[in-house]
């Protein structure tokens, strides 16, 4: 039996801070303190977290219902919350297979919640770092068939790779083995809101956590170089194929994303 992973409760972790901002309870005082600091300097952070999560739900729904995708590799999944990738996908296609990847031991502790697949499908969990793609792909192959299309989900994770060229290289290495007809979905915080940038800078300098680097929408779009980007392109998460409703009610948040298909 694998030993229980050690959880460092003295340093905030992005997955647990995000869980706090989404209203979850799987976090520690140090994570709540970091989240409160962000919220105090940028109250819009909670709305941004929720709007980002809503985009993930819409993306998975599109990929499963319209694009016919039956396999998902979700890297940087974070802690379980409502409408996890496998729940959304398997509501539409029960046979969907999902592999989650994260490097927070607390997520591993809660993996049982993530691994409740429908019997027709499958889920798996890998404890790994996005900066080391090859072991992720090797372990994911236990559950996913890379001879068939896969949806690669990189939602809010690439900002944790501080060097932009390295982040782009990570995406390239993850996409390279995917077959034609696979999809890549990304979103990340953007550097075009001074209040958000100030909050992130305070978090990076004062929390001890892995720094997060917001980037421009143009930089985020470059993660999808060489792929066929679906309309409406890389846009604020609220504007990516929103559910029907008055367009005027869609705020523009400091987080942008998009979806692309591998030719």
């Amino acid at each position: 039996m694998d030993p229980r992973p050690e959880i460092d409760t003295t340093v905030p972790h992005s997955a647990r801070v995000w869980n706090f901002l989404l209203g979850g309870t799987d976090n520690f005082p140090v994570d709540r303190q970091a989240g409160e600091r962000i919220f105090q300097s940028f109250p819009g952070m909670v709305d941004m977290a929720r709007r980002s999560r809503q985009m993930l739900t819409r993306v998975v729904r599109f990929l499963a219902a319209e694009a016919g995708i039956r396999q998902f590799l979700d890297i940087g999944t974070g802690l379980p919350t409502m409408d996890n990738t496998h729940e959304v996908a398997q509501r539409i296609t029960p046979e969907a297979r999902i592999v989650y990847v994260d490097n927070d031991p607390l997520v591993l502790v809660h993996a049982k919640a993530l691994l409740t697949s429908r019997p027709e499908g499958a889920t798996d969990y890998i404890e790994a770092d996005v900066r080391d793609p090859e072991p992720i792909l090797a372990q994911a192959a236990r559950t996913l068939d890379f001879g068939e299309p896969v949806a690669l989900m990189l939602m809010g994770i690439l900002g944790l790779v501080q060097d932009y060229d390295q982040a782009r290289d990570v995406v390239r290495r993850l996409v390279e083995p995917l077959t034609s007809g696979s999809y890549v979905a990304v979103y990340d915080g953007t550097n075009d809101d001074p209040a958000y940038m100030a909050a992130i800078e305070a978090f990076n300098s004062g929390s001890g956590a892995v720094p997060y680097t917001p980037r421009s929408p143009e930089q985020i779009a470059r993660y999808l170089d060489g792929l066929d980007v679906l309309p409406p392109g890389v846009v604020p998460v609220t504007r990516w194929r929103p559910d029907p409703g008055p367009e005027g009610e869609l705020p523009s948040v400091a987080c942008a994303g998009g979806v692309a298909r591998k030719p």
Side-chain angles (χ1 to χ4, degrees), residues 78-181:
L79 286 151
T81 184
M82 291 183 62
D83 275 350
N84 298 292
T85 297
H86 76 282
E87 293 170 323
V88 178
Q90 290 184 347
R91 277 200 297 266
I92 297 164
T93 174
E95 69 273 22
R97 307 174 73 82
I98 296 89
V99 173
Y100 292 106
V101 182
D102 206 286
N103 71 342
D104 180 9
L106 184 62
V107 179
L108 182 59
V109 170
H110 285 263
K112 266 192 170 180
L114 285 175
L115 296 176
T116 52
S117 170
R118 291 200 182 191
E120 303 95 324
T123 61
D124 195 9
Y125 174 80
I126 299 170
E127 186 178 7
D129 193 307
V130 68
R131 292 168 293 189
D132 196 9
E134 284 72 26
I136 292 175
L137 294 166
Q139 293 182 67
R142 298 178 308 203
T143 303
L144 306 179
D145 177 2
F146 284 101
E148 297 293 329
V150 173
L152 172 64
M153 314 282 292
L154 296 164
M155 312 301 254
I157 185 68
L158 294 171
L160 295 171
V161 183
Q162 286 183 266
D163 183 83
Y164 178 58
D165 289 336
Q166 183 186 9
R168 291 188 64 206
D169 184 62
V170 163
V171 179
R172 180 190 62 77
R173 288 156 63 192
L174 287 166
V175 171
E176 192 171 291
L178 302 184
T179 191
S180 173

Side-chain angles (χ1 to χ4, degrees), residues 20-21 34-47 199:
F20 168 72
L21 292 170
E36 286 289 356
R37 282 197 299 271
I38 295 174
F39 178 74
Q40 287 169 11
S41 57
F42 182 61
M45 189 69 189
V46 171
D47 186 56

